[in-house]
């Protein structure tokens, strides 16, 4: 198994990727900046800089068992999609366009609240949940915590630019996570746009899009005018269909923390993405090292909701502390048990914080993939 990349390792040790590449060369390994390193290599490089790699396994964190579902209880659920790409290639513009153009009838006044995720309805009436967290940093942070939230990645590339380092990184991340990609070739309204050049450069990375005879769907779009965006969403839905995404809505909710912030007046505001089950007001939950009870729940339209089913993002009030993006949450029925788990997790966290040696802590990325 391969874990972090050269550049991620450099960041953890406060070194430059060039330092790491040079060190690797010293031990006969020729690596690129985005290359993932195996455990043995990681340990060797870290040692050169006086670090010790500490592996934190899921066992260390007081896991909560999750039951297997009976196939007959499974129902179709919307895909969860992340947009990734190089700086300025149009991630925010695309997400904004999708958000503001979604005027689903019956829903009060569009999406009004930024909660890190939102759900939109495509022309065909099917829903897509978008993770609206800043690009692939959030994706990486979540993956580093072992969370696999995204079902499909939209890789956005500006047609007036080249396939850039962060584009390659995004592709690497998606591939490493086994997440299918749909390519959005953006800014085609611009006079200098050259989508064919982008496709050619992708082919140079062994990524063949459909009109080059490959398996990857791509769509030329303008996040500015909206051209092609509806088609892009339909392609995402097609990809989702092939994944046959299902979840059991009729059980206690489990899912992932998307964001957690402290609001002076309201306390901890936590965005949760339900993966399976249905989250209800009044539910007691553990999210990472924190305990709480769902006091009030809002959706992205700032509407109060009483329940949230699979692939539904909601912001809740009622947590006693801040969870981390990517933490798993579970609805608990036994308060004593819940308190015991949280105490244990908090104690483990304190102990880790107390260790004095230079450590880099790596979750076993890919454990749950
Ligand atoms: P970072 O968050 O900084 O990484 O950038 P980003 O990927 O979110 O890009 P953003 O959406 O901020 O777009 C960057 C610039 O490109 C902005 O000035 C946008 O207005 C412009 N832009 C984005 N999409 C399009 C498009 O389709 N056509 C044109 N003409 N401009 C676009
Ligand atoms: Mg942006």
């Amino acid at each position: 198994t391969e874990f972090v990349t050269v550049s991620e390792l450099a960041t953890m040790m406060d070194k430059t990727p060039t330092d790491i590449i040079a060190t690797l060369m010293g031990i006969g390994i020729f690596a690129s900046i985005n290359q993932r390193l195996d455990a043995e290599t990681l340990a060797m490089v870290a040692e050169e800089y006086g670090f010790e790699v500490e592996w934190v396994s899921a066992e260390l964190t007081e896991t909560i068992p999750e039951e297997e579902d009976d196939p007959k209880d499974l129902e179709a659920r919307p895909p969860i999609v992340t947009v990734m790409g190089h700086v300025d290639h149009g991630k925010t513009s695309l997400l904004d366009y999708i958000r503001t153009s979604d005027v689903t009838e019956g829903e009060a006044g569009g999406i009004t609240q930024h909660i890190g995720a939102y759900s939109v309805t495509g022309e065909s009436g099917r829903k897509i949940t978008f993770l609206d967290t800043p690009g692939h940093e959030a994706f990486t942070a979540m993956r580093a915590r072992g969370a696999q939230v995204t079902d499909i990645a939209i890789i956005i590339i500006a047609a007036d630019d080249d396939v850039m380092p962060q584009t390659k990184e995004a592709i690497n991340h998606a591939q490493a996570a086994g997440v299918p990609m749909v390519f959005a070739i953006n800014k085609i309204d611009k006079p200098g746009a050259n989508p064919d050049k982008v496709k050619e450069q992708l082919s140079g990375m062994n990524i063949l899009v459909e009109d080059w005879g490959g398996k990857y769907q791509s769509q030329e779009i303008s996040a500015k005018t909206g051209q092609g965006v509806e088609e892009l969403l339909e392609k995402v839905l097609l990809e989702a269909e092939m994944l046959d995404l299902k979840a059991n809505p009729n059980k206690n909710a489990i899912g992932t923390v998307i964001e957690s912030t402290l609001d002076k007046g309201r306390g901890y505001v936590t965005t949760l993405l339900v993966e399976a089950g249905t989250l209800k007001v009044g539910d007691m939950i553990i999210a990472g090292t924190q305990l709480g009870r769902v006091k009030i729940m809002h959706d992205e339209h700032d509407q109060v909701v009483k329940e949230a089913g699979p692939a539904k993002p909601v912001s809740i009030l009622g947590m006693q502390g801040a969870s981390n993006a990517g933490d798993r949450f579970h609805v608990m029925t036994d308060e004593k048990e819940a308190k015991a788990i949280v105490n244990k997790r908090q104690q483990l966290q304190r102990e880790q914080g107390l260790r004095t040696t230079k450590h880099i802590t790596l979750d076993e990325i890919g454990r749950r993939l």
Side-chain angles (χ1 to χ4, degrees):
T1 334
E2 284 152 344
F3 300 91
V4 291
T5 63
V6 166
S7 89
E8 286 163 345
L9 178 64
T11 309
M12 287 180 197
M13 300 194 299
D14 204 18
K15 297 279 177 285
T16 68
T18 318
D19 291 335
I20 308 298
I21 289 168
T23 306
L24 282 165
M25 249 187 245
I27 52 176
I29 296 170
F30 295 87
S32 68
I33 185 162
N34 292 317
Q35 192 160 325
R36 288 176 184 283
L37 303 172
D38 62 29
E40 196 189 343
T41 313
L42 268 174
M44 272 195 285
V45 176
E47 203 184 304
E48 291 285 321
Y49 294 96
F51 284 87
E52 190 188 318
V53 177
E54 181 190 6
W55 297 93
V56 185
S57 73
E59 277 70 47
L60 247 181
T61 53
E62 207 55 27
T63 48
I64 299 168
E66 291 172 14
E67 279 162 44
E68 285 262 331
D69 289 302
D70 189 328
K72 73 172 176 11
D73 297 328
L74 298 177
E75 292 176 20
R77 65 159 176 89
I80 299 162
V81 177
T82 310
V83 177
M84 299 194 282
H86 192 72
V87 57
D88 276 355
H89 278 199
K91 300 176 288 291
T92 306
S93 302
L94 176 60
L95 284 163
D96 283 350
Y97 183 85
I98 292 169
R99 181 172 40 214
T100 51
S101 62
D102 183 58
V103 277
T104 316
E105 21 51 90
E107 264 167 343
I111 293 159
T112 49
Q113 224 202 163
H114 180 90
I115 63 171
Y118 58 78
S119 155
V120 297
T121 310
E123 239 163 28
S124 55
R126 290 170 296 172
K127 282 188 184 301
I128 305 176
T129 301
F130 277 95
L131 285 184
D132 186 12
T133 44
H136 76 283
E137 292 86 356
F139 183 83
T140 318
M142 286 196 209
R143 241 170 70 67
R145 310 189 73 77
Q148 167 85 19
V149 189
T150 307
D151 299 309
I152 296 165
I154 293 179
I155 309 288
I156 190 166
I157 308 169
D160 65 341
D161 200 358
D162 295 305
V163 169
M164 297 296 279
Q166 262 181 286
T167 317
K168 291 183 182 159
E169 218 172 286
I171 292 171
N172 288 341
H173 281 308
Q175 285 181 327
V179 173
M181 297 178 279
V182 175
F183 289 86
I185 302 180
N186 190 31
K187 306 199 187 185
I188 47 153
D189 60 288
K190 284 185 116 175
N194 188 352
D196 286 331
K197 191 177 80 179
V198 171
K199 291 175 192 173
E200 187 184 341
Q201 290 177 352
L202 283 174
S203 78
M205 299 177 64
N206 265 326
I207 306 272
L208 289 180
V209 296
E210 271 176 341
D211 31 330
W212 277 58
K215 63 171 178 175
Y216 294 98
Q217 298 194 87
S218 77
Q219 177 65 43
E220 293 172 16
I221 64 160
S222 165
K224 194 175 170 187
T225 68
Q227 185 188 339
V229 173
E230 200 54 56
E231 288 84 349
L232 175 68
L233 297 188
E234 290 305 319
K235 285 181 179 175
V236 166
L237 284 164
L238 188 67
E239 202 71 43
E241 235 169 69
M242 295 190 272
L243 294 173
D244 194 24
L245 303 165
K246 287 185 171 154
N248 174 7
N250 298 308
K251 62 175 184 180
N252 283 331
I254 48 174
T256 309
V257 174
I258 303 299
E259 275 183 351
S260 179
T261 53
L262 180 58
D263 179 290
K264 265 192 193 139
R266 300 188 296 162
Y268 291 96
V269 183
T270 312
T271 302
L272 301 175
L273 184 59
V274 178
E275 179 182 300
T278 298
L279 184 65
K280 302 187 176 94
V281 170
D283 279 347
M284 178 170 52
I285 59 179
I286 291 181
T289 56
Q290 302 299 326
L291 186 65
R293 204 175 270 282
V294 182
K295 279 195 203 142
I296 188 160
M297 192 151 61
H298 283 96
D299 67 9
E300 69 274 41
H301 309 282
D302 211 15
Q303 300 286 306
V304 172
V305 288
K306 292 231 150 32
E307 292 192 345
K312 179 88 189 148
V314 280
S315 101
I316 67 152
L317 297 181
M319 294 304 292
Q320 291 168 4
S323 307
N324 292 306
D327 277 345
R328 201 152 180 75
F329 83 83
H330 294 84
V331 166
M332 303 296 292
T333 41
D334 182 336
E335 185 160 4
K336 242 174 97 180
E337 186 196 11
K339 280 187 173 152
I341 291 170
V342 161
N343 284 340
K344 188 77 196 290
R345 285 184 176 182
Q346 290 181 349
Q347 185 197 337
L348 285 165
Q349 197 183 42
R350 277 193 299 274
E351 282 170 5
Q352 271 182 14
L354 280 176
R355 293 195 193 138
T356 47
T357 37
K358 288 209 282 179
H359 270 94
I360 33 179
T361 302
L362 295 173
D363 283 339
E364 289 185 41
I365 298 182
R367 250 195 105 72
R368 298 188 41 243
L369 303 185

